[in-house]
Amino acid sequence: MKHASYIIKSSAIFTAAAPEPVSGAVVVAGNRILAVVPEEEIETYRSPDTTVIDAGSRLVMPGFNDAHMHFSLGAVQNDPDFCIFMADCRSEAECVERVRIFAEEHPDNPWIYGWGWYCEMWENPSVPSRDSLDALGLDRPVCLSSFDLHTVWCNGEALKKMEITRHTPQPAGGLIARDEAGEPSGILKELPANKQMVDEVMNVPDLKATLLKSLAAFRALGITAIADVYPPGVTNPDVDRIFADMESKGELTCRVSWFPDMKDLDEAKRLRDAYHTDRLRVAGVKQILDGVVEAHTACMSAPYEDRADCCGEPMLSQEELNSYVLAAAREGFPGKLHTIGDKAVTMALDAYEHAGNVLGSRDLHHSIEHAETISSRDINRLADLNVLATVQPIHSALGMLAGGYQLCLGEERAQNTWPFREILDAGGRLAFSTDYPAAYSINPLWNVYSAVTRCEPDEGAPADGRSHTVTLAEALTAYTKSSAYAETFEDSLGTLEPGKLADIVIIDRNLFAIDPMEIRFAQVDLTMVDGEIRYERA
């Protein structure tokens, strides 16, 4: 009989392999789970060197796995010496004032960068322009990313540096907004319009130090694994080597599954060949197919409510998408396709179906990312095609509260966004994530709360009549077992079962024994990664 390094006792152990918690203990030997046993069998595994953790009635569960984030970008956008936080600003003037203060306090920063502004949430919603930034009289370029990272608001110096003028042609799939005189207004929508500017900004001087700060935050939130998806958000040429250095020094306290650019399979194969450990690996490839609802760039099957002339355009034709997905599948790469509009979802599923028909197999764990709007027909296709929906529950509550979805889509379509309940009822599978940093919060417990209550977590306000909700067990499964499946990592991760990697968290209460409205107040007491305790709450 192999003896335990740790025995974690609790009357509430959620293994994610079953829908209800059990009483007993999780037995850990080295970096693996040896067993989950009833209390009477605990002594069988104890030795003089075993550490016993008595969690009482607190919930013990697998570590949280965020199945869609942009890790490097999130890290730098939460570094106060690199980025101005603007998500809580309530006006254009307040954003501009933060730019002024940051510019004074950081005179050596070559760019002034900020993130998080959301004009739909301002007291007087209106699209900002370069004029208010130019009024500051700064001699440095200013680049401010919106909360969803799909729009940039910049000043004249930034436009000048990037050589964007009234004569610059509109890029396919993007928009350079112009004022009444035909001059660029300072608003650049989608990557084809703003990528060059963002790439210039996002070469971060000390990226590793910034990443380590985020890893500390992850440990405190019980995040033990992530899917780090394209685009990475930073343009440092040595990002993969920085991650490898952290892994070699034991600093990578979160498992990272990369999903690089679907259009660059040579690079994806290089990364897959170079990095294939249980801490750092390549799990698939990613492609953006459309934009977002608020910018009218999500690809819809019917016109927007407030823009009768606009449905949003896909960034690829169906033929192009089919070609990329098939080429990736031939190389063994599952796809992650950013699809927010219902037409984009249909295109993605058509591409996955085409690849399956050509190759004669649907074993790859393909997914659609976000899936905010989706037709009933496509909901039923998810299970048939073995395609997951990787979704962000906290977006559902905040998106509805902000009012932008009702304005853009109309009340009926808005009420049918993020249909989690319907997807599960049709036999589909959900994986949970935050899309960090395009997220109100990266806290998994807040995300779970939003999925179970359909309310936003800060004030607990109802969003959309609490429709489309899921059960607590379904939410926790989506954040653990299904996320591991989305990363083709299910053999080693996602459940508390013998042989799985010992990534375990202890929550400060039994979530199954409280009012769902109280989930938002829960906290992580302990985080174990690879059989080692990496965080304990004071």
Side-chain angles (χ1 to χ4, degrees), residues 41-351:
E41 296 182 20
I42 290 175
E43 290 304 316
T44 306
Y45 296 91
R46 190 200 294 256
S47 76
D49 296 325
T50 300
T51 299
V52 178
I53 300 172
D54 191 345
S57 62
R58 292 177 292 166
L59 185 66
V60 176
M61 60 171 285
F64 290 108
N65 184 340
D66 193 307
H68 179 120
M69 71 158 61
H70 308 269
F71 180 26
S72 300
L73 178 61
V76 299
Q77 289 190 339
N78 283 275
D79 188 333
D81 290 319
F82 184 84
C83 179
I84 311 166
F85 180 73
M86 294 180 160
D88 58 345
C89 289
R90 290 295 174 261
S91 68
E92 181 174 357
E94 187 175 353
C95 291
V96 172
E97 176 62 11
R98 290 197 184 179
V99 169
R100 184 192 66 78
I101 294 171
F102 185 89
E104 288 183 357
E105 294 177 348
H106 299 83
D108 297 326
N109 288 30
W111 279 81
I112 297 169
Y113 178 69
W115 165 80
W117 63 271
Y118 187 9
C119 59
E120 295 294 338
M121 292 289 285
W122 290 349
E123 293 168 355
N124 295 299
S126 61
V127 178
S129 76
R130 59 183 283 186
D131 295 341
S132 55
L133 296 173
D134 287 347
L136 293 174
L138 300 174
D139 59 359
R140 285 178 285 166
V142 178
C143 174
L144 309 175
S145 291
S146 62
F147 82 102
D148 57 16
L149 306 177
H150 284 256
T151 302
V152 160
W153 167 26
C154 61
N155 68 350
E157 285 293 323
L159 293 170
K160 181 180 178 181
K161 187 173 182 63
M162 294 294 103
E163 298 182 347
I164 298 173
T165 71
R166 64 183 298 131
H167 303 296
T168 303
Q170 291 291 0
L175 175 69
I176 301 170
R178 303 184 191 278
D179 60 24
E180 293 180 356
E183 296 292 339
S185 70
I187 294 294
L188 309 173
K189 293 185 178 182
E190 301 303 338
L191 284 176
N194 59 45
K195 184 179 185 299
Q196 181 185 5
M197 182 178 296
V198 173
D199 284 353
E200 179 84 10
V201 178
M202 287 296 174
N203 195 327
V204 184
D206 192 357
L207 181 58
K208 179 180 175 179
T210 298
L211 292 171
L212 291 173
K213 294 175 189 176
S214 272
L215 287 170
F218 287 3
R219 294 193 292 272
L221 293 171
I223 301 169
T224 59
I226 62 168
D228 190 10
V229 304
Y230 171 86
V234 298
T235 53
N236 298 58
D238 57 346
V239 174
D240 59 311
R241 291 189 292 276
I242 292 173
F243 276 86
D245 179 63
M246 290 192 295
E247 181 188 24
S248 69
K249 295 176 179 175
E251 299 168 331
L252 191 61
T253 55
C254 177
R255 304 185 194 281
V256 177
S257 293
W258 278 325
F259 287 80
D261 185 1
M262 181 180 283
K263 291 182 177 180
D264 190 353
L265 291 184
D266 287 341
E267 175 65 3
K269 287 188 287 186
R270 181 191 74 80
L271 291 170
R272 183 173 62 182
D273 291 344
Y275 307 107
H276 41 76
T277 70
D278 59 24
R279 288 288 181 104
L280 192 59
R281 56 196 286 276
V282 171
V285 288
K286 160 83 183 303
Q287 174 59 40
I288 298 175
L289 187 52
D290 69 343
V292 295
V293 167
E294 303 94 318
H296 302 94
T297 52
C299 185
M300 308 295 298
S301 60
Y304 284 90
E305 184 75 10
D306 58 341
R307 287 277 306 278
D309 62 332
C310 176
C311 292
E313 294 295 327
M315 297 184 182
L316 296 171
S317 69
Q318 187 69 62
E319 292 73 20
E320 290 171 327
L321 180 63
N322 287 357
S323 175
Y324 284 123
V325 169
L326 179 59
R330 286 189 193 278
E331 296 291 344
F333 289 114
K336 273 184 177 287
L337 294 176
H338 169 116
T339 53
I340 286 182
D342 63 329
K343 184 176 179 180
V345 170
T346 300
M347 292 178 65
L349 295 182
D350 287 350

